[in-house]
Amino acid sequence: MLSVLTFLPTAGAVVMLLFMRKRPAAYKTMALVTSIITLALSIYLAAGFETGSGGFQFVEDFSWIPSLGISYHLGIDGISLILILLTTLLTAVSILGSWNSIKDRGLAFFISLLVLETGMLGVFVSMDLFLFYFFWEIQLIPMYFIIGLWGGARRVYAAIKFFLYTFVGSVLMLVAILAVVWWYAKNGGPLTFDILTLQQAGFSGSLAIWAFVAFFIAFAIKVPMFPLHTWLPDAHTEAPTAGSVILAGVLLKMGVYGMIRFCVGFFPDVAVKAMVPVLILSAIAIVYGAVMSLVQPDMKRLVAYSSVSHMGFVTAGLFTFNQQGIEGSVLQMVNHGVLTGALFMMVGFFYERTHTRLIKDYGGMAKPMPVAAAFFSLFVLGSLGLPGLSGFVGEFLILVGVFQYAKVFAVIASVGIVLGAAYLLWMYQRTMFQQADERWLSLKDLNAREIITLVPLVGMAVWIGLYPHPFLNLLHAPAANIMAQVQPYLAENSGALLGLAGSFFGGF
Amino acid sequence: MENYIWLIPVLPLAAFVITLIFGKWWIKEASHWLPILALAGSFGLSFAAFLQIRGAEEPVVVELWRWFSVGSFQVPMTLQLDQLSAVMCLIVSGIGLLIFIYSVGYMHGDGGYYRFFAYMSLFAFSMLMLVLAGNYLVLYFGWEAVGLCSYYLIGFFYHKPEAAAAGKKAFIVNRVGDFGFGLGVMLIFVTFGTLDYSGVFRQVGAGGASDGVLIAIALLLFMGAMGKSAQFPLHVWLPDAMEGPTPVSALIHAATMVTAGVYLVARSAVIFASAPTALLVVGAIGTFTAIFAAVIGICQKDIKKVLAYSTISQLGYMFMALGVGAWAIAIFHLMTHAFFKALLFLGAGSVIHALGGEQDMSRMGGLAKRIPATYYTLVAGALALSGIFPFAGFWSKDDILGSVWRDGQYLFWAVGLITAFITGFYTFRMIFLTFFGKPRMDEATGKHVHESPWSMIVPLVVLAAGSLLAGFLGLPGRLGVLQGFLEPVFAPANHVLGIEEHTLTAVDYVLMVVSVIVAALGIVLAWFMYVRRTDLPALLGHRLRPAYKVVYNKFYVDEFYAATVVRLTVDGSRWLWRNFDEKIIDGAVHGTAWLWQQAGRAVRPLQTGRVQNYLLGMFAGLFVIVTVVVLL
């Protein structure tokens, strides 16, 4: 089942490559149909998922390279499932959204998107380190092409920067993977890449610290955490719309996913020690990303920096290691994927009409494009955390989690929320409101295809905003697992660390 | 009775959805019917709820669905009906209904007619959710939603840069207040483990938290209230909010939404009562804001701006009352104020309508005879605002001053009395400038002056009747119907503060007479300056030039913020972006890239092109894994 899900997009891509080379209408339809079937399959998967159990489900385990302990081991828990749903939804949405925006080499573009989907799904279903690394690297290649071939004016610079950052991350991750596998084998365990086995290994000493740091930097680049974030604005800005949507929507989440599985899963004791540093970095990211957004002249750059801010919430929530923080963190990944994906999609729609992304070129767009302005306002409001829309639910849960751990970080993060309202509404005012620019008065409003692209995202934003229960239900068991992993060390450290944090940051 | 409470907010919500989706293409000019009928339905249901909750000891709590359910953090979508929410529902839906009807005439012919009624319905929904909320998070939901509607409706004429900027400013300043509110909600949860009103208040009453924590909670909540109710120093958004259509100013920025802060403090009365320090802060901020805004109101030229500062000032009175634990009296003033300030705004709208959009009082004058219905109703509102017997404002304002006196806060009382004088002055300055003297508008405008249509006059008359009679609901002492009605809600807080019902003494009567005389003196002064010796204002303005300038420019608070907070944030961010993000972080990346390139030159064979290079690197990586593992 998981294999079918993972490789279905690639199968669709192969069919497109073999039979539909010269027929854009056919291969585009094929791409869309493939992505929709994948989406349907993932929903079917969710329907069969047992929410109560903390174990991995839909497991497929075949020995692959027995001599090295590498197996083809797939399985999902609630966190993987929720991210799989996000992936399949956003892929379908971005294929529909870029229907007419890719002018040349369309076949290669849609094939890249589908291969990318396989890579992303592979990352979320892998239960084997080798397999994980394989998929992790696989999805980088189409992404690199998408930025470098179909991007904007500075696409080559952006692609190289993206490559450079990710390469460093990959090397670090590779080293860390080898280190843990080697250590485990040396200390009496079998030679294995199996993630669940390694999670029981109980790594300790300086190896644990170094491997944690290597893993952490590799994933922090992906998230991206301050100060490893500067590839993101360039990559986002230069990537074509679909690239930005997937990049913001899914790729960044792989970083946090990796942290959950490896940084916390393998080294819970180090993770507990890292709580305060990570929270500090997250708090910086929240405020820093927000103030960067405030002064960006380019809409896409603005949304890109806002991602830094929002992902700061996600990492902060995760590293509180309490239930509200963890669940809010994972839910916020979905919210951020939906809302930021939607914002990028909208900027793309505007760009297709105006061929500019600079805020100062816009103004009064609400007059020629009232429907677009209405959708845009909904996503902006969701993104700035208006209660009733999804952004609020994740953000507030995270804040409750952070507040329980150390009040000072909740206060700083709340500053980020105030700034969030400022940069988003300021952008909205300067683009949609004010005097209409004469050049844009004859622009056509969103067409039916574009509206259909956005409606599922609106639906998700409202659904999670008002009734997040089905989604949170998926997360109770995995969150309990994470808390169980760190629990012994939390207790151990509580005297020193929490006491310190409490005395400094607790207040009152 | 649980079966229908949810309908009170949901009816306007349905009207909003239908009007928004179908308004533009289908309903068009008939867009007002659905919102009006829906709100009338809400009013009817509110009345039924009011009758049913009368005298009940316990509130009715209805849990709609599970909203948040994460471990110990359990927050359902809950509505709560008690005496306080019933009164608020009646005010919101009743005044709202009149303003909706008024808008049919006022907004007639506007291109965004359907949009206006859609957003007004959304506002009605949000505000009713706010007052019917059963826990702090649902309250927060309504709180932010009314802010959103305010944002949309201030920026209704979005093509005007000032309107768009004012909407944004309102939202962001409110967010600054909500920064505190949000943290307050979290602190409540962390302290009490619940956000339900009943659970929180029970624990506060049982001494479930230390004084420090209670003060912190109260002050954080009050920060939100200061934003929403435009109290100094977060008052700056409300005058700008007058960019919105006049019915919006009347409903949202005078009668209902801006009073949400007062409601919040009154709702949390037990918490505030248990934190006397915070209570004192509430009273002090309210008192200062009352006189501060009233002084600014003296020098405004725009008729709506006068009313905006008056609103800020009157809200200050309400907080003054809350500050001495006179919860019910604050709500009483909230109610009377809703009547007469809505009336004043709608009357001002009728004047503006008659003059074809003119808002500057220096280009009005002599309108009394030409639009008599507007004139008489507006004077009724002005008398109520000034606190002249027997108009509504008299009863509520004197109740406030009386309770402040009884509490021994003589400084608050004195400032309140001076404010009453200024209030009488600026209110009648407005009346005299608008309706008396010679017409100062240009001829074309002068010719077209016309009385407003019946849909606008009828609400004015109803509100004028309310401004005359509503005060009798809250007669002082034991006679107060409203105070008695609200007793079950505020009894715990009064118990904490040890406030007992009092009987009227001679002191009370003296206080009443004094305050009426003071207010009347203000009116007389206004008459002297703006009817009798019309040369005086210009002369005084000239003589007291520096003082006049400072007041006219609203004490330069906006300029101060622009020069400090805003400038620091924007310029600082830009500096950080250009110097830190681009030079230092990216500089490091570029440096690494350069090194990489140099290294690449050294290892010539590897430099076969970027992508190939990458693929190679990846497979090399896999190869390394395999090799290392095999060798182990």
Side-chain angles (χ1 to χ4, degrees):
Chain A
M1 184 77 173
L2 290 178
S3 299
V4 176
L5 178 78
T6 308
F7 291 105
L8 188 69
T10 306
V14 170
V15 172
M16 283 158 63
L17 186 64
L18 292 180
F19 303 113
M20 302 171 177
R21 302 187 74 118
K22 296 277 181 240
R23 288 175 293 155
Y27 67 65
K28 279 198 263 190
T29 312
M30 183 67 199
L32 183 64
V33 168
T34 308
S35 66
I36 289 176
I37 294 176
T38 315
L39 173 62
L41 202 59
S42 66
I43 294 170
Y44 177 72
L45 203 66
F49 189 85
E50 278 178 49
T51 48
S53 110
F56 284 77
Q57 303 180 29
F58 301 104
V59 174
E60 298 171 25
D61 194 357
F62 306 104
S63 193
W64 185 12
I65 314 175
S67 57
L68 302 179
I70 296 170
S71 57
Y72 180 80
H73 188 180
L74 308 182
I76 54 171
D77 65 356
I79 296 177
S80 333
L81 179 63
I82 216 168
L83 292 171
I84 286 169
L85 289 168
L86 178 70
T87 309
T88 52
L89 175 72
L90 285 182
T91 306
V93 161
S94 41
I95 287 176
L96 188 60
S98 37
W99 201 252
N100 293 329
S101 61
I102 298 303
K103 298 286 182 249
D104 64 336
R105 289 172 293 190
L107 178 66
F109 180 79
F110 287 103
I111 287 179
S112 297
L113 275 181
L114 289 174
V115 174
L116 183 60
E117 187 176 17
T118 290
M120 297 184 297
L121 292 173
V123 165
F124 295 134
V125 299
S126 294
M127 302 281 297
D128 182 277
L129 261 180
F130 186 84
L131 204 58
F132 178 88
Y133 186 74
F134 173 76
F135 281 119
W136 181 276
E137 299 293 303
I138 280 291
Q139 49 82 22
L140 292 174
I141 298 164
M143 196 65 227
Y144 178 75
F145 277 125
I146 288 172
I147 299 174
L149 290 180
W150 292 278
R154 296 172 72 221
R155 58 177 179 268
V156 175
Y157 171 75
I160 293 178
K161 206 169 174 181
F162 173 71
F163 161 68
L164 194 67
Y165 264 105
T166 1
F167 189 81
V168 172
S170 296
V171 169
L172 284 171
M173 182 157 61
L174 183 62
V175 171
I177 289 174
L178 290 177
V180 294
V181 171
W182 170 78
W183 189 91
Y184 187 59
K186 202 185 81 173
N187 284 278
L191 180 62
T192 180
F193 280 80
D194 191 69
I195 293 174
L196 286 183
T197 314
L198 291 169
Q199 283 192 352
Q200 307 301 323
F203 299 105
S204 61
S206 62
L207 172 113
I209 292 174
W210 285 111
F212 174 90
V213 170
F215 270 124
F216 188 82
I217 294 176
F219 297 129
I221 289 175
K222 204 83 199 166
V223 170
M225 286 182 77
F226 175 89
L228 301 171
H229 63 275
T230 60
W231 65 271
L232 184 83
D234 287 304
H236 267 331
T237 311
E238 298 308 323
T241 302
S244 307
V245 172
I246 297 289
L247 198 55
V250 185
L251 258 58
L252 309 188
K253 280 72 196 180
M254 291 176 13
V256 181
Y257 181 78
M259 287 182 186
I260 295 174
R261 285 283 179 265
F262 306 130
C263 293
V264 181
F266 286 178
F267 320 106
D269 56 334
V270 190
V272 168
K273 289 197 186 84
M275 280 167 89
V276 170
V278 173
L279 277 168
I280 290 173
L281 282 178
S282 306
I284 294 176
I286 290 169
V287 176
Y288 185 82
V291 298
M292 288 296 113
S293 293
L294 203 57
V295 291
Q296 295 305 315
D298 180 314
M299 276 204 262
K300 266 186 143 180
R301 279 191 97 84
L302 188 150
V303 181
Y305 274 111
S306 82
S307 287
V308 175
S309 184
H310 286 145
M311 292 307 284
F313 275 98
V314 175
T315 46
L318 175 61
F319 274 81
T320 59
F321 297 131
N322 57 43
Q323 200 178 355
Q324 290 84 26
I326 295 169
E327 294 192 19
S329 168
V330 179
L331 192 66
Q332 187 64 1
M333 287 204 261
V334 178
N335 300 336
H336 175 261
V338 168
L339 293 168
T340 308
L343 285 176
F344 275 124
M345 194 65 90
M346 296 268 350
V347 176
F349 291 158
F350 289 125
Y351 181 78
E352 280 172 35
R353 288 166 171 76
T354 62
H355 299 284
T356 175
R357 292 183 311 255
L358 294 181
I359 294 171
K360 69 175 167 59
D361 289 340
Y362 285 84
M365 298 294 281
K367 200 158 189 68
M369 304 179 67
V371 176
F375 274 105
F376 200 42
S377 78
L378 196 127
F379 297 129
V380 160
L381 293 168
S383 200
L384 63 80
L386 188 85
L389 296 173
S390 58
F392 172 73
V393 177
E395 239 167 44
F396 201 81
L397 280 175
I398 290 170
L399 283 173
V400 167
V402 172
F403 196 93
Q404 288 172 59
Y405 175 65
K407 296 180 182 68
V408 67
F409 294 118
V411 173
I412 297 171
S414 298
V415 173
I417 294 183
V418 175
L419 289 169
Y423 65 75
L424 284 164
L425 288 182
W426 195 23
M427 172 185 75
Y428 193 78
Q429 178 202 346
R430 287 178 294 167
T431 53
M432 299 298 116
F433 290 163
Q434 299 182 342
Q435 201 61 49
D437 195 314
E438 278 173 23
R439 283 179 292 170
W440 314 136
L441 283 180
S442 57
L443 290 181
K444 287 209 164 52
D445 209 339
L446 297 184
N447 60 34
R449 172 184 60 85
E450 290 166 326
I451 291 175
I452 292 170
T453 311
L454 297 174
V455 163
L457 302 175
V458 173
M460 291 296 288
V462 175
W463 183 12
I464 300 181
L466 289 177
Y467 191 62
H469 196 65
F471 298 91
L472 291 172
N473 229 357
L474 289 175
L475 301 176
H476 294 331
N481 276 351
I482 295 174
M483 288 192 297
Q485 279 167 342
V486 295
Q487 200 54 52
Y489 308 101
L490 268 183
E492 197 174 283
N493 274 287
S494 63
L497 198 88
L498 283 179
L500 189 74
S503 64
F504 275 118
F505 308 125
F508 317 118
Chain B
M1 72 179 296
E2 288 84 43
N3 302 331
Y4 68 87
I5 296 173
W6 60 275
L7 270 171
I8 297 177
V10 164
L11 284 177
L13 177 68
F16 158 71
V17 172
I18 296 171
T19 310
L20 187 73
I21 295 178
F22 300 110
K24 185 166 179 149
W25 291 278
W26 189 36
I27 314 179
K28 290 179 190 165
E29 288 304 294
S31 293
H32 53 269
W33 279 113
L34 206 55
I36 287 178
L37 287 176
L39 197 59
S42 296
F43 181 69
L45 291 172
S46 303
F47 198 73
F50 167 80
L51 292 179
Q52 238 159 329
I53 202 69
R54 202 171 37 165
E57 286 295 318
E58 289 293 316
V60 177
V61 178
V62 187
E63 187 178 321
L64 296 179
W65 70 80
R66 277 187 291 183
W67 189 16
F68 285 82
S69 172
V70 178
S72 56
F73 190 65
Q74 299 287 341
V75 185
M77 261 299 171
T78 312
L79 300 183
Q80 169 172 332
L81 179 71
D82 60 8
Q83 287 80 3
L84 181 57
S85 48
V87 167
M88 292 299 290
C89 277
L90 279 178
I91 296 173
V92 172
S93 55
I95 306 275
L97 189 58
L98 291 171
I99 293 173
F100 274 33
I101 294 170
Y102 175 93
S103 307
V104 175
Y106 190 84
M107 296 303 291
H108 181 75
D110 190 281
Y113 195 69
Y114 83 96
R115 201 158 50 91
F116 177 84
F117 277 100
Y119 288 141
M120 288 291 260
S121 293
L122 181 63
F123 170 76
F125 157 74
S126 315
M127 190 72 203
L128 290 165
M129 281 300 284
L130 193 160
V131 298
L132 279 171
N135 62 50
Y136 278 101
L137 210 58
V138 179
L139 173 68
Y140 191 73
F141 168 83
W143 187 271
E144 292 290 310
V146 290
L148 169 70
C149 301
S150 158
Y151 167 77
Y152 275 135
L153 285 163
I154 295 170
F156 183 74
F157 304 119
Y158 57 80
H159 46 85
K160 276 172 71 186
E162 303 83 32
K168 178 199 65 178
K169 182 175 173 182
F171 199 92
I172 294 172
V173 173
N174 268 295
R175 268 278 155 133
V176 174
D178 296 346
F179 163 81
F181 189 9
L183 288 171
V185 172
M186 285 173 227
L187 189 55
I188 291 176
F189 170 72
V190 173
T191 313
F192 301 112
T194 176
L195 290 175
D196 290 340
Y197 292 150
S198 49
V200 172
F201 300 155
R202 201 180 318 115
Q203 292 187 53
V204 174
S210 69
D211 285 354
V213 172
L214 282 175
I215 291 172
I217 290 175
L219 288 179
L220 287 169
L221 292 181
F222 181 55
M223 195 170 160
M226 282 163 70
K228 194 66 78 201
S229 294
Q231 294 298 290
F232 181 87
L234 296 180
H235 65 284
V236 288
W237 65 271
L238 187 57
D240 289 27
M242 297 300 127
E243 290 292 341
T246 304
V248 172
S249 311
L251 178 60
I252 301 182
H253 305 120
T256 54
M257 184 191 83
V258 288
T259 63
V262 178
Y263 169 80
L264 172 64
V265 176
R267 171 57 79 198
S268 317
V270 180
I271 299 178
F272 281 84
S274 313
T277 320
L279 207 54
L280 192 66
V281 172
V282 172
I285 297 260
T287 308
F288 177 74
T289 306
I291 191 160
F292 173 80
V295 168
I296 297 177
I298 297 174
C299 293
Q300 294 301 307
K301 286 184 173 158
D302 185 319
I303 186 167
K304 283 179 75 180
K305 288 270 165 79
V306 175
L307 292 173
Y309 280 105
S310 156
T311 303
I312 298 174
S313 171
Q314 295 298 309
L315 290 165
Y317 270 118
M318 295 176 211
F319 283 108
M320 189 197 290
L322 294 171
V324 296
W327 325 103
I329 290 166
I331 296 297
F332 176 39
H333 194 56
L334 187 161
M335 183 189 76
T336 60
H337 177 257
F339 276 106
F340 62 71
K341 193 51 72 63
L343 169 62
L344 286 167
F345 264 112
L346 295 186
S350 181
V351 170
I352 295 166
H353 193 74
L355 294 174
E358 184 59 69
Q359 302 196 9
D360 189 340
M361 291 189 298
S362 64
R363 288 198 286 277
M364 294 181 183
L367 290 172
K369 292 263 162 56
R370 313 212 30 203
I371 43 174
T374 305
Y375 167 63
Y376 285 115
T377 48
L378 208 49
V379 167
L383 287 169
L385 172 58
S386 308
I388 301 299
F389 180 85
F391 287 87
F394 163 78
W395 300 105
S396 53
K397 191 164 19 181
D398 276 292
D399 263 1
I400 292 176
L401 291 177
S403 38
V404 172
W405 177 275
R406 273 196 300 282
D407 196 62
Q409 301 285 1
Y410 301 114
L411 180 65
F412 288 2
W413 177 82
V415 175
L417 196 66
I418 299 169
T419 307
F421 172 77
I422 305 173
T423 307
F425 177 75
Y426 72 66
T427 310
F428 275 85
R429 168 179 173 269
M430 179 187 80
I431 294 289
F432 295 139
L433 279 176
T434 310
F435 293 104
F436 286 62
K438 288 203 176 67
R440 294 180 298 276
M441 67 287 293
D442 57 55
E443 234 167 83
T445 318
K447 258 185 208 154
H448 285 102
V449 171
H450 55 282
E451 187 58 279
S452 300
W454 68 266
S455 59
M456 290 165 68
I457 297 301
V458 170
L460 286 179
V461 172
V462 176
L463 286 170
S467 300
L468 181 59
L469 301 173
F472 293 99
L473 288 173
L475 296 177
R478 289 178 192 284
L479 299 169
V481 177
L482 187 71
Q483 289 92 318
F485 178 72
L486 290 172
E487 174 63 20
V489 180
F490 296 127
N494 288 337
H495 177 73
V496 174
L497 285 177
I499 294 176
E500 282 164 19
E501 225 175 322
H502 84 287
T503 38
L504 287 177
T505 59
V507 180
D508 292 290
Y509 292 109
V510 172
L511 290 178
M512 281 182 207
V513 173
V514 168
S515 81
V516 172
I517 290 173
V518 165
L521 283 176
I523 297 174
V524 170
L525 182 67
W527 173 80
F528 187 71
M529 280 178 69
Y530 293 94
V531 179
R532 192 67 190 269
R533 291 277 309 274
T534 44
D535 57 319
L536 261 183
L539 195 71
L540 274 177
H542 189 71
R543 282 275 168 77
L544 303 171
R545 186 107 201 114
Y548 174 77
K549 239 180 122 182
V550 169
V551 176
Y552 180 73
N553 286 303
K554 307 158 244 169
F555 293 93
Y556 295 103
V557 179
D558 272 312
E559 285 74 9
F560 174 75
Y561 287 155
T564 54
V565 183
V566 176
R567 177 122 187 243
L568 214 67
T569 313
V570 174
D571 288 359
S573 305
R574 192 163 287 131
W575 184 87
L576 209 59
W577 175 38
R578 289 295 182 202
N579 291 291
F580 186 72
D581 213 57
E582 293 202 326
K583 290 216 175 103
I584 296 183
I585 301 185
D586 254 3
V589 177
H590 292 157
T592 319
W594 182 81
L595 280 177
W596 181 275
Q597 233 174 9
Q598 299 305 311
R601 268 197 203 120
V603 199
R604 200 78 200 165
L606 278 179
Q607 212 180 28
T608 50
R610 292 185 307 276
V611 177
Q612 289 87 332
N613 218 345
Y614 186 60
L615 278 172
L616 198 68
M618 179 190 147
F619 284 109
L622 289 178
F623 178 74
V624 170
I625 300 190
V626 175
T627 326
V628 170
V629 171
V630 168
L631 289 178
L632 278 172

